[in-house]
């Protein structure tokens, strides 16, 4: 069960990373705790699925969709639009390392690469690049999927159980 | 074409249009997606019994007041102030637009409320810097960084954001500010590898710049495109791309110095 502990540890850091962006975006103070929680949940889902060998884009999508769904009741409860929760919360899932490797690959491809290693560098770069693109699309589309599925213009029109009026 | 007579009715309409545009531009500059700007402004107009049409772009909003037959009475434009993300303003405007339906507001009340929302306080600088530093450490931890690397990323992100704020204050172009910031952060975090405190993966170095990620432009870009506001979506996507490019340039400059 050590993997679970490691993922929980990472989730806490994921929540903290979300809080950093919350401060940067000047969110209302009352939404801090939910942003921390959702950031952690997103990271937890992503890394858990990755542990069970799911595709990285799909794992990120699952995390983002979960955050999107959770943002709707939170928006009701805290009287604030859902984007205030989901934007800071998905940012910790952005694949920084992969993007960095892609850029390094692009740089070495634009230089004067050795013929022997060109093919390997090219395929690595394309692989990293595609992953980055698909993860970014998954994250951005994932958080709005709940709103698309519920087909309402505003969260106020969605009936959420157990909320105060 | 006949001139519009400045009857009291039209005067009132102009005042209303001004308040509506003020709301729209404020939302846009605070980082709301186009769909939200559109629905909020329409909702407010509806609450006051006016019908309007909107054209929203990244840097300006056009508003046309319509008469009962759907014909245009007049059109006005307002330029959007520079985009500085402020979710507290978005939240406040959302609350305000809903409360219009519960109690009657006068235009003056609306104007005062907008004035207040525009000048909402931001978090103290030290708190933002600390939290963003911790966010940097969080990113490093997500990338399997060791505790020492986490500490380096904290300092790097903290000082990186400080440099960005100072550069923006000094009137630098936003992209140039991002470049300076990414360069500073990666230069500090990269020293961990040079001091032998980091393994070959350079976790601290890579993750120190992630606090600069253009999350709002990138996510809003996709929500705009899905909403059918393709033009704004493409614009925002390109802004996000340019910011990412500035980050890459900053990190590559320090790579050149450190010979990574």
């Amino acid at each position: 069960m050590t993997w679970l502990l490691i993922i929980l540890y990472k989730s806490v850091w994921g929540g903290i990373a979300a809080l950093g962006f919350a401060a940067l975006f000047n969110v209302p103070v009352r939404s801090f705790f939910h942003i921390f929680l959702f950031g952690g949940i997103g990271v937890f889902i992503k890394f858990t699925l990755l542990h069970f060998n799911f595709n990285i884009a799909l794992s990120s999508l699952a995390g983002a969709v979960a955050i999107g769904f959770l943002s709707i009741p939170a928006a009701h409860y805290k009287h604030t639009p859902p984007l205030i929760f989901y934007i800071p919360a998905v940012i910790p899932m952005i694949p920084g390392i992969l993007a960095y490797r892609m850029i390094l690959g692009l740089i070495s491809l634009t230089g004067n690469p050795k013929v022997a290693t060109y093919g390997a560098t090219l395929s690595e770069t394309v692989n990293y690049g595609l992953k980055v693109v698909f993860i970014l699309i998954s994250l951005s589309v994932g958080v709005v999927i709940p709103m698309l599925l519920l087909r309402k213009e505003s969260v106020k029109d969605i009936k959420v159980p157990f909320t105060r009026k | 074409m006949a001139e519009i007579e400045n009857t009291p009715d039209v005067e009132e309409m102009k005042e209303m249009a001004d308040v509506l545009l003020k709301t729209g531009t404020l939302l846009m500059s605070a980082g709301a997606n186009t769909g939200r700007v559109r629905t909020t402004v329409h909702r407010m107009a509806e609450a006051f019994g006016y019908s309007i049409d909107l054209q929203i772009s990244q840097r300006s909003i056009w508003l046309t007041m319509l008469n009962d037959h759907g014909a245009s009475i007049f059109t006005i434009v307002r330029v959007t102030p520079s985009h500085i993300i402020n979710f507290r303003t978005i939240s406040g405007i959302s609350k305000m637009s809903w409360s219009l339906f519960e109690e009657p507001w006068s235009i003056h009340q609306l104007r005062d409320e907008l004035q207040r929302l525009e000048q909402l306080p931001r978090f103290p600088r030290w708190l933002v810097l600390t939290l963003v530093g911790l966010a940097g450490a969080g990113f490093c931890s997500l990338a399997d960084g060791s505790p020492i690397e986490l500490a380096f990323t904290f300092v790097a992100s903290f000082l990186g954001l400080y440099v960005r704020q100072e550069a923006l204050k000094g009137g630098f172009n936003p992209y140039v500010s991002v470049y300076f910031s990414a360069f500073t952060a990666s230069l500090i975090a990269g020293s961990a590898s040079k001091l032998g405190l980091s393994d070959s993966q350079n976790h601290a170095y890579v993750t120190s710049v992630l606090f600069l990620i253009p999350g709002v432009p990138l996510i809003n870009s996709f929500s705009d495109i899905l909403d059918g506001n393709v033009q704004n979506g493409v614009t925002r996507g390109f802004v996000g791309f340019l910011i990412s490019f500035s980050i890459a340039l900053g990190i590559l400059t320090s790579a050149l110095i450190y010979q990574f």
Side-chain angles (χ1 to χ4, degrees):
Chain A
M1 291 306 270
T2 32
W3 64 269
L4 193 62
L5 279 179
I6 292 170
I7 290 176
L8 279 173
Y9 170 75
K10 281 188 175 179
S11 307
V12 172
W13 276 112
I16 292 171
L19 274 190
F21 281 91
L24 211 52
F25 299 157
N26 203 33
V27 300
V29 183
R30 61 181 187 279
S31 52
F32 255 64
F33 178 69
H34 283 76
I35 291 172
F36 172 76
L37 202 64
F38 296 170
I41 290 173
V43 167
F44 180 80
I45 291 175
K46 177 186 167 182
F47 278 96
T48 309
L49 289 179
L50 277 179
H51 177 79
F52 291 110
N53 293 322
F54 276 87
N55 177 297
I56 187 162
L58 275 182
S59 316
S60 309
L61 182 69
V65 170
I67 290 171
F69 269 115
L70 287 169
S71 299
I72 292 172
H76 274 266
Y77 184 62
K78 292 286 177 189
H79 297 289
T80 190
L83 93 162
I84 280 154
F85 300 102
Y86 67 62
I87 292 187
V90 289
I91 291 180
M93 289 195 282
I94 286 181
I97 299 259
L98 291 175
Y100 170 70
R101 288 188 190 146
M102 172 194 75
I103 287 165
L104 277 194
L106 287 176
I107 299 288
S108 67
L109 288 178
T110 39
N112 294 318
K114 298 181 190 74
V115 179
T117 56
Y118 194 84
T121 314
L122 183 66
S123 66
E124 257 181 28
T125 308
V126 170
N127 181 257
Y128 292 140
L130 286 177
K131 274 182 187 157
V132 170
V133 169
F134 278 102
I135 295 171
L136 282 182
I137 295 177
S138 307
L139 293 181
S140 341
V141 176
V143 286
V144 288
I145 280 182
M147 287 304 288
L148 295 175
L149 288 180
L150 295 167
R151 288 159 295 165
K152 293 288 191 312
E153 202 155 67
S154 164
V155 276
K156 287 255 180 185
D157 305 328
I158 299 167
K159 297 244 177 339
V160 177
F162 315 120
T163 42
R164 52 185 183 190
K165 267 282 157 199
Chain B
M1 205 184 86
E3 284 279 311
I4 304 167
E5 282 171 48
N6 279 350
T7 54
D9 207 28
V10 172
E11 280 300 311
E12 208 172 276
M13 260 188 189
K14 281 194 169 153
E15 243 178 286
M16 189 65 216
D18 195 56
V19 169
L20 290 176
L21 274 187
K22 176 92 189 154
T23 315
T25 48
L26 207 58
L27 268 179
M28 198 69 183
S29 74
N33 54 325
T34 310
R36 167 165 295 279
V37 178
R38 195 183 299 281
T39 44
T40 307
V41 176
H42 270 284
R43 189 190 297 145
M44 283 175 65
E46 194 189 317
F48 280 86
Y50 290 108
S51 86
I52 56 164
D53 265 341
L54 280 177
Q55 147 79 20
I56 303 166
S57 79
Q58 183 88 347
R59 289 306 296 275
S60 58
I61 301 184
W62 303 52
L63 183 145
T64 298
M65 274 285 178
L66 303 174
N67 66 13
D68 298 341
H69 310 291
S72 137
I73 302 172
F74 62 84
T75 300
I76 51 172
V77 188
R78 196 176 190 133
V79 172
T80 307
S82 56
H83 288 222
I84 296 168
I85 299 162
N86 191 343
F87 281 3
R88 218 180 274 192
T89 305
I90 297 183
S91 178
I93 290 179
S94 163
K95 246 184 172 174
M96 177 186 83
S97 76
W98 283 109
S99 65
L100 291 180
F101 287 97
E102 282 156 19
E103 48 187 303
W105 286 50
S106 72
I107 286 192
H108 293 288
Q109 271 175 304
L110 267 186
R111 209 175 272 147
D112 290 346
E113 176 70 0
L114 284 173
Q115 186 93 25
R116 188 186 74 81
L117 290 172
E118 199 178 5
Q119 288 157 357
L120 278 178
R122 296 191 82 91
F123 291 118
R125 194 176 184 187
W126 63 267
L127 182 67
V128 176
L129 286 170
T130 311
L131 282 173
V132 168
L134 283 173
F139 278 118
C140 190
S141 165
L142 290 178
D144 299 316
S146 66
I148 295 169
E149 289 175 305
L150 258 63
F152 266 89
T153 331
F154 173 82
V155 177
S157 300
F158 188 99
L159 291 176
L161 183 64
Y162 180 80
V163 167
R164 184 189 189 181
Q165 291 173 341
E166 287 300 312
L168 283 174
K169 236 186 253 173
F172 278 103
N173 174 292
Y175 303 108
V176 177
S177 309
V178 168
Y179 169 78
F180 287 154
S181 172
F183 175 60
T184 316
S186 53
L187 202 64
I188 295 167
S191 63
S193 309
K194 282 291 149 187
L195 294 171
L197 298 170
S198 179
D199 60 13
S200 58
Q201 297 262 325
N202 301 330
H203 296 300
Y205 170 70
V206 181
T207 50
S208 62
V209 294
L210 289 183
F211 71 93
L212 291 164
I213 297 175
V216 172
L218 285 179
I219 293 171
N220 275 343
S221 159
F222 278 94
S223 1
D224 273 5
I225 291 175
L226 288 174
D227 258 359
N229 300 305
V230 180
Q231 231 177 2
N232 283 356
V234 171
T235 312
R236 288 186 205 266
F238 199 78
V239 169
F241 168 76
L242 271 182
I243 295 176
S244 315
F245 188 72
S246 312
I247 301 174
L249 274 185
I251 197 170
L252 287 170
T253 312
S254 48
L256 203 68
I257 293 172
Y258 281 133
Q259 297 293 316
F260 279 143

Coordinates of all heavy atoms in Angstrom, one line a residue, chain B residues 4-46:
Chain B
I4 N -30.8 60.8 -33.5 CA -31.6 60.3 -32.3 C -31.8 61.5 -31.4 O -30.9 62.2 -31.1 CB -30.8 59.2 -31.5 CG1 -30.4 58.1 -32.5 CG2 -31.6 58.7 -30.4 CD1 -29.4 57.2 -31.9
E5 N -33.1 61.7 -31.1 CA -33.3 62.8 -30.2 C -33.0 62.4 -28.8 O -33.2 61.3 -28.4 CB -34.8 63.2 -30.3 CG -35.2 64.0 -31.5 CD -36.7 64.1 -31.6 OE1 -37.3 64.5 -30.6 OE2 -37.2 63.9 -32.7
N6 N -32.4 63.4 -28.1 CA -32.0 63.0 -26.7 C -33.1 63.2 -25.7 O -33.1 64.1 -24.9 CB -30.8 63.9 -26.3 CG -29.5 63.3 -26.8 OD1 -29.5 62.2 -27.4 ND2 -28.4 64.1 -26.7
T7 N -34.1 62.4 -26.0 CA -35.2 62.4 -25.0 C -34.8 61.8 -23.7 O -33.8 61.1 -23.7 CB -36.4 61.6 -25.6 OG1 -35.9 60.3 -25.9 CG2 -37.0 62.2 -26.8
P8 N -35.4 62.1 -22.6 CA -35.1 61.5 -21.3 C -34.9 60.0 -21.4 O -34.1 59.3 -20.8 CB -36.2 61.9 -20.4 CG -36.8 63.0 -21.0 CD -36.6 63.0 -22.5
D9 N -35.8 59.4 -22.3 CA -35.7 57.9 -22.4 C -34.4 57.4 -23.0 O -33.8 56.5 -22.4 CB -36.9 57.6 -23.4 CG -37.4 56.1 -23.1 OD1 -37.2 55.7 -22.0 OD2 -37.8 55.5 -24.1
V10 N -33.9 58.1 -24.0 CA -32.7 57.7 -24.6 C -31.5 58.0 -23.7 O -30.6 57.2 -23.6 CB -32.5 58.4 -26.0 CG1 -31.1 58.2 -26.5 CG2 -33.5 58.0 -27.0
E11 N -31.6 59.1 -23.0 CA -30.6 59.5 -22.0 C -30.4 58.3 -21.0 O -29.3 57.9 -20.6 CB -30.9 60.7 -21.2 CG -30.6 62.0 -22.0 CD -29.1 62.1 -22.3 OE1 -28.3 61.9 -21.4 OE2 -28.7 62.3 -23.5
E12 N -31.5 57.8 -20.5 CA -31.6 56.8 -19.5 C -31.0 55.5 -20.1 O -30.2 54.8 -19.5 CB -33.0 56.5 -19.1 CG -33.2 56.0 -17.7 CD -34.6 55.9 -17.3 OE1 -35.1 57.0 -16.8 OE2 -35.2 54.9 -17.5
M13 N -31.3 55.3 -21.4 CA -30.8 54.1 -22.1 C -29.3 54.2 -22.2 O -28.6 53.2 -22.0 CB -31.4 54.0 -23.5 CG -32.5 53.1 -23.7 SD -32.9 53.0 -25.4 CE -34.4 52.1 -25.3
K14 N -28.8 55.4 -22.5 CA -27.4 55.5 -22.6 C -26.6 55.2 -21.3 O -25.6 54.6 -21.3 CB -27.0 56.9 -23.1 CG -27.3 57.0 -24.6 CD -26.6 58.3 -25.2 CE -26.7 58.2 -26.7 NZ -26.7 59.5 -27.4
E15 N -27.2 55.7 -20.2 CA -26.7 55.5 -18.9 C -26.6 54.0 -18.6 O -25.6 53.5 -18.2 CB -27.5 56.2 -17.9 CG -26.8 57.3 -17.1 CD -27.8 57.9 -16.1 OE1 -28.6 58.7 -16.5 OE2 -27.6 57.6 -14.9
M16 N -27.7 53.3 -19.0 CA -27.8 51.9 -18.7 C -26.7 51.1 -19.6 O -26.0 50.3 -19.1 CB -29.2 51.4 -19.1 CG -29.5 50.0 -18.8 SD -29.5 49.8 -17.0 CE -28.8 48.2 -16.8
A17 N -26.7 51.5 -20.9 CA -25.7 50.9 -21.8 C -24.3 51.1 -21.2 O -23.5 50.1 -21.3 CB -25.8 51.5 -23.2
D18 N -24.0 52.2 -20.6 CA -22.7 52.5 -20.1 C -22.4 51.6 -18.9 O -21.3 51.0 -18.9 CB -22.7 54.0 -19.6 CG -21.2 54.4 -19.4 OD1 -20.5 54.3 -20.4 OD2 -20.9 54.8 -18.3
V19 N -23.4 51.4 -18.1 CA -23.2 50.5 -16.9 C -23.0 49.0 -17.4 O -22.1 48.3 -16.9 CB -24.4 50.6 -15.9 CG1 -24.3 49.5 -14.9 CG2 -24.4 51.9 -15.3
L20 N -23.8 48.6 -18.4 CA -23.7 47.3 -18.9 C -22.3 47.0 -19.5 O -21.7 46.0 -19.3 CB -24.8 47.0 -20.0 CG -26.2 46.9 -19.5 CD1 -27.1 46.8 -20.7 CD2 -26.4 45.8 -18.5
L21 N -21.8 48.0 -20.3 CA -20.5 47.8 -20.9 C -19.4 47.8 -19.8 O -18.4 47.1 -19.9 CB -20.2 49.0 -21.9 CG -20.8 48.7 -23.3 CD1 -20.3 49.8 -24.2 CD2 -20.3 47.4 -23.8
K22 N -19.6 48.6 -18.8 CA -18.6 48.7 -17.7 C -18.5 47.3 -17.1 O -17.5 46.7 -16.8 CB -19.1 49.7 -16.7 CG -18.3 49.8 -15.4 CD -17.2 50.8 -15.6 CE -16.3 50.7 -14.4 NZ -14.9 51.2 -14.7
T23 N -19.7 46.6 -16.8 CA -19.8 45.3 -16.3 C -19.0 44.3 -17.2 O -18.2 43.5 -16.7 CB -21.2 44.8 -16.1 OG1 -22.0 45.9 -15.6 CG2 -21.3 43.6 -15.3
G24 N -19.4 44.4 -18.5 CA -18.8 43.5 -19.4 C -17.3 43.6 -19.5 O -16.6 42.6 -19.5
T25 N -16.8 44.8 -19.6 CA -15.3 45.0 -19.8 C -14.6 44.6 -18.5 O -13.5 44.0 -18.5 CB -15.0 46.4 -20.1 OG1 -15.7 47.3 -19.2 CG2 -15.3 46.7 -21.5
L26 N -15.3 44.8 -17.3 CA -14.7 44.4 -16.1 C -14.5 42.9 -16.0 O -13.5 42.4 -15.6 CB -15.6 45.0 -14.9 CG -14.9 45.3 -13.6 CD1 -13.8 46.3 -13.8 CD2 -15.9 45.8 -12.6
L27 N -15.6 42.2 -16.4 CA -15.6 40.8 -16.3 C -14.5 40.2 -17.3 O -13.8 39.3 -16.9 CB -17.0 40.2 -16.8 CG -18.0 39.9 -15.8 CD1 -19.3 39.5 -16.5 CD2 -17.6 38.9 -14.8
M28 N -14.5 40.8 -18.5 CA -13.5 40.3 -19.5 C -12.1 40.5 -19.0 O -11.3 39.5 -19.1 CB -13.7 41.1 -20.8 CG -13.2 40.5 -22.0 SD -14.1 39.0 -22.4 CE -13.1 38.5 -23.8
S29 N -11.8 41.6 -18.4 CA -10.4 41.9 -18.0 C -10.1 41.0 -16.7 O -8.9 40.7 -16.4 CB -10.2 43.3 -17.7 OG -10.8 43.7 -16.5
A30 N -11.1 40.6 -15.9 CA -10.9 39.9 -14.7 C -10.6 38.4 -15.1 O -10.3 37.6 -14.2 CB -12.0 40.0 -13.7
G31 N -10.9 38.0 -16.3 CA -10.6 36.6 -16.7 C -11.8 35.7 -16.9 O -11.7 34.5 -16.8
A32 N -13.0 36.3 -17.1 CA -14.2 35.4 -17.4 C -14.2 35.0 -18.8 O -13.6 35.7 -19.7 CB -15.4 36.2 -17.1
N33 N -14.8 33.9 -19.1 CA -14.9 33.4 -20.5 C -16.0 34.2 -21.2 O -16.9 34.8 -20.6 CB -15.0 31.9 -20.7 CG -16.2 31.4 -19.9 OD1 -16.5 31.9 -18.8 ND2 -16.9 30.4 -20.4
T34 N -15.9 34.2 -22.6 CA -16.9 35.1 -23.3 C -18.3 34.8 -23.1 O -19.1 35.7 -22.9 CB -16.5 35.0 -24.8 OG1 -15.1 35.1 -25.0 CG2 -17.3 36.0 -25.6
G35 N -18.6 33.5 -22.9 CA -20.0 33.1 -22.7 C -20.5 33.7 -21.4 O -21.7 34.1 -21.3
R36 N -19.7 33.7 -20.4 CA -20.1 34.3 -19.1 C -20.3 35.8 -19.2 O -21.3 36.3 -18.7 CB -19.0 34.0 -18.0 CG -19.2 34.8 -16.7 CD -18.3 34.2 -15.7 NE -18.7 32.9 -15.3 CZ -19.7 32.7 -14.5 NH1 -20.4 33.6 -13.9 NH2 -20.0 31.4 -14.2
V37 N -19.5 36.5 -19.9 CA -19.7 37.9 -20.1 C -21.0 38.1 -20.8 O -21.8 39.0 -20.4 CB -18.5 38.5 -21.0 CG1 -18.8 40.0 -21.2 CG2 -17.2 38.3 -20.3
R38 N -21.3 37.4 -21.9 CA -22.5 37.5 -22.6 C -23.7 37.3 -21.8 O -24.6 38.1 -21.7 CB -22.5 36.6 -23.8 CG -23.5 36.9 -24.9 CD -23.5 35.8 -26.0 NE -22.2 35.8 -26.7 CZ -21.8 36.7 -27.6 NH1 -22.6 37.6 -28.0 NH2 -20.6 36.6 -28.2
T39 N -23.8 36.1 -21.1 CA -25.0 35.8 -20.3 C -25.2 36.8 -19.1 O -26.3 37.2 -18.9 CB -24.9 34.4 -19.7 OG1 -23.6 34.1 -19.2 CG2 -25.2 33.3 -20.7
T40 N -24.1 37.2 -18.5 CA -24.2 38.1 -17.4 C -24.8 39.5 -17.8 O -25.7 40.0 -17.2 CB -22.9 38.4 -16.7 OG1 -22.3 37.1 -16.3 CG2 -23.0 39.2 -15.4
V41 N -24.2 40.0 -18.9 CA -24.7 41.3 -19.4 C -26.1 41.2 -19.9 O -26.9 42.1 -19.6 CB -23.7 41.9 -20.5 CG1 -24.3 43.2 -21.1 CG2 -22.3 42.1 -19.9
H42 N -26.4 40.2 -20.6 CA -27.8 40.0 -21.1 C -28.8 39.9 -19.9 O -29.9 40.4 -19.9 CB -27.9 38.7 -21.9 CG -27.7 39.0 -23.4 ND1 -28.6 39.7 -24.2 CD2 -26.6 38.8 -24.2 CE1 -28.1 39.8 -25.4 NE2 -26.9 39.3 -25.4
R43 N -28.3 39.1 -18.8 CA -29.2 38.9 -17.7 C -29.5 40.3 -17.0 O -30.6 40.6 -16.6 CB -28.4 38.0 -16.7 CG -29.3 37.6 -15.5 CD -28.4 36.8 -14.5 NE -27.8 35.6 -15.1 CZ -26.6 35.2 -14.7 NH1 -25.9 35.9 -13.8 NH2 -26.1 34.1 -15.2
M44 N -28.4 41.1 -16.9 CA -28.6 42.4 -16.3 C -29.6 43.3 -17.1 O -30.4 44.0 -16.5 CB -27.3 43.1 -16.1 CG -26.5 42.6 -15.0 SD -24.8 43.3 -14.9 CE -25.2 45.0 -14.6
A45 N -29.4 43.3 -18.4 CA -30.2 44.1 -19.3 C -31.7 43.6 -19.1 O -32.6 44.4 -19.1 CB -29.8 44.0 -20.7
E46 N -31.8 42.3 -19.1 CA -33.2 41.7 -19.0 C -33.8 42.2 -17.7 O -35.0 42.5 -17.6 CB -33.1 40.2 -19.0 CG -34.3 39.5 -19.2 CD -34.1 38.0 -19.0 OE1 -33.1 37.5 -19.5 OE2 -34.9 37.3 -18.3

